[in-house]
Amino acid sequence: MRSSNLTLLTDLYELTMMQGYYKSGNKEKVVFDAFYRENPCGGGYAISCGLDQVIEYIKNLQFSTDDIRYLRSLNMFDEDFLEYLSTFRFSGSVYAIPEGTVIFPREPIVKVIAPIMEAQLVETAILNIINHQSLIATKASRVCYAAQNDGVMEFGLRRAQGPDAGILGARASVIGGCSGTSNVLAGQVFNVPVKGTHAHSWIMSFPDEYTAFKTYAELYPEACILLIDTYDTLKSGLPNAIRVFKEMRESGREFKNFGIRMDSGDLAYLSKKVRKMLDEAGFPEAIISASNDLDEYLIETLKSQGAKITSWGVGTSMITSRDCPAFGGVYKLAAIQNEEGKFVPKIKLSENTEKVTNPGNKEVYRIYDKATGKIRADLICLEEESFDPEEDMVLFDPNETWKRTRIYGGTYTMRKLLEQVFDEGKCVYTSPNVMDIRDICRKEKETLWEENKRFVNPAKVYVDLSDQLYALKQKVFNELSSVKYNG
């Protein structure tokens, strides 16, 4: 799977449009924006993820002999177009918000500037990669926030929608904040921590629970988490685990990173009982780990009930983002370069206000409160615009323009979010490793206000338009509306 040729990972209509552009001689350079319209799970933010896989996809984008043979068999493509595809290489430029960054609706996550045939071809794969990993990274971030400072392990491989979703979902989960994954292949490919305990079948395969625990502890004295709910959590599992812990300590062997795991029952009630019994037995440092169809809402509830769990194993709900299974990212044309080399803005109209796109070649700035370092707003502007943080800035809601906020000069800072990834076909960006992206993500989330992170009715971070971009949007909108109503 790791060596798969992904060039045909596209919708058929991308290729039929490419042939149409080719036949009509349409080679204009265009700007496409990939963005999303609503935060997943009704949340207050999302996490950008998947850029490294987009880079690898574009680097290796070429039609093999088998690809050309298959396309020929469809009887839809002419030989001159297939000949063009046989020597195809991406020659455009790509800008993107780096992985691990907090992002918000409507702002470009990826911007592609390329000849229209090339920009059209990469649409499907970019959306497939960014949509999936950003969704899972966002879900993982929410789960880790609910767990507060406890460790969260991702172990959803067996419930993921296929091997790729399991491997890349594990990557995204770690970026979102998980301390490790049970997925060994993800550990190998992305150099992230792999963790795990044992199954109920391990215990059931031995004559008794104590022997199963003892054998496991002797094999893994530095990573000994015993599953105590196979028969009876409090009357059998925990007493046998404590017995093994005492014997290991008395033997003088190095014994650390030990504790218990529960996968069933009333986790709040049981964890309090387990903590009390472990402490009384002389093991206050023992880890109490829990699993059993956990998600951010259940973890938050257990925390509010005083559960004594210190480590969480989350599977299905995180790897599938079960309550919100799609990110909803889209890819829209924003500008076409004319003969003079100037980008002519394009807009998509809709009866739904939120589906009217922002035209032009754009940049995204993040505005921070200077005193706290927290995000005040994001500003989408035209690429050539610049701003002086020492001057007052008036921000306004682009849909409800009477809603305005003045930010006084000297009280805020700004930074560009889009970084160049490809320059005329050459990759000019080096992705950090996954654990470094995880650290970036952690720091990014610290710039959110606590009100932005809550699960129910979170405070909104506004994504506003600059005066110039708003005026351009209105101009293009009015011109198109005039054509529409005047025939």
Side-chain angles (χ1 to χ4, degrees), residues 5 16 44 172 246 286 311 337 401:
N5 175 9
T16 57
K246 287 181 176 179
S311 178
Q337 195 174 56
T401 55

Side-chain angles (χ1 to χ4, degrees), residues 46-66:
I47 301 295
S48 63
C49 196
L51 178 59
D52 194 42
Q53 282 64 52
V54 169
I55 292 171
E56 288 303 307
Y57 159 73
I58 293 176
K59 279 182 176 179
N60 296 305
L61 194 59
Q62 55 184 310
F63 291 83
S64 69
T65 302
D66 287 342

Side-chain angles (χ1 to χ4, degrees), residues 347 349 474-487:
I347 192 171
L349 300 184
Q474 292 301 112
K475 178 177 180 291
V476 177
F477 180 87
N478 291 333
E479 289 173 352
L480 286 176
S481 296
S482 175
V483 171
K484 175 180 177 181
Y485 290 111
N486 294 327

Side-chain angles (χ1 to χ4, degrees), residues 152-157 166-167 169-174 178-188 190-196 314 318-319 435:
V152 176
M153 185 185 78
E154 182 281 314
F155 63 17
L157 177 58
I167 296 164
R171 177 185 188 271
S173 295
V174 172
C178 291
S179 57
T181 177
S182 67
N183 187 329
V184 179
L185 183 54
Q188 179 196 29
F190 301 117
N191 193 28
V192 298
V194 290
K195 300 181 180 183
V314 185
M318 186 160 61
I319 202 68
M435 298 308 289

Side-chain angles (χ1 to χ4, degrees), residues 454-473:
R454 64 184 178 228
F455 300 144
V456 178
N457 193 28
K460 181 179 181 181
V461 171
Y462 286 96
V463 178
D464 299 313
L465 305 185
S466 70
D467 290 340
Q468 287 189 40
L469 177 55
Y470 181 78
L472 176 66
K473 185 173 183 177

Side-chain angles (χ1 to χ4, degrees), residues 319-333:
I319 202 68
T320 66
S321 187
R322 181 159 52 185
D323 62 330
C324 179
F327 193 68
V330 294
Y331 186 86
K332 299 298 180 184
L333 179 66

Side-chain angles (χ1 to χ4, degrees), residues 1-11 52-58 60-64 67 121-122 124-126 128-129 164 168:
M1 289 179 292
R2 282 177 278 172
S3 60
S4 294
N5 175 9
L6 299 182
T7 300
L8 293 187
L9 184 68
T10 190
D11 294 302
D52 194 42
Q53 282 64 52
V54 169
I55 292 171
E56 288 303 307
Y57 159 73
I58 293 176
N60 296 305
L61 194 59
Q62 55 184 310
F63 291 83
S64 69
D67 294 337
L121 175 63
V122 299
T124 303
I126 287 175
N128 174 273
I129 295 167
D164 284 347
L168 295 172

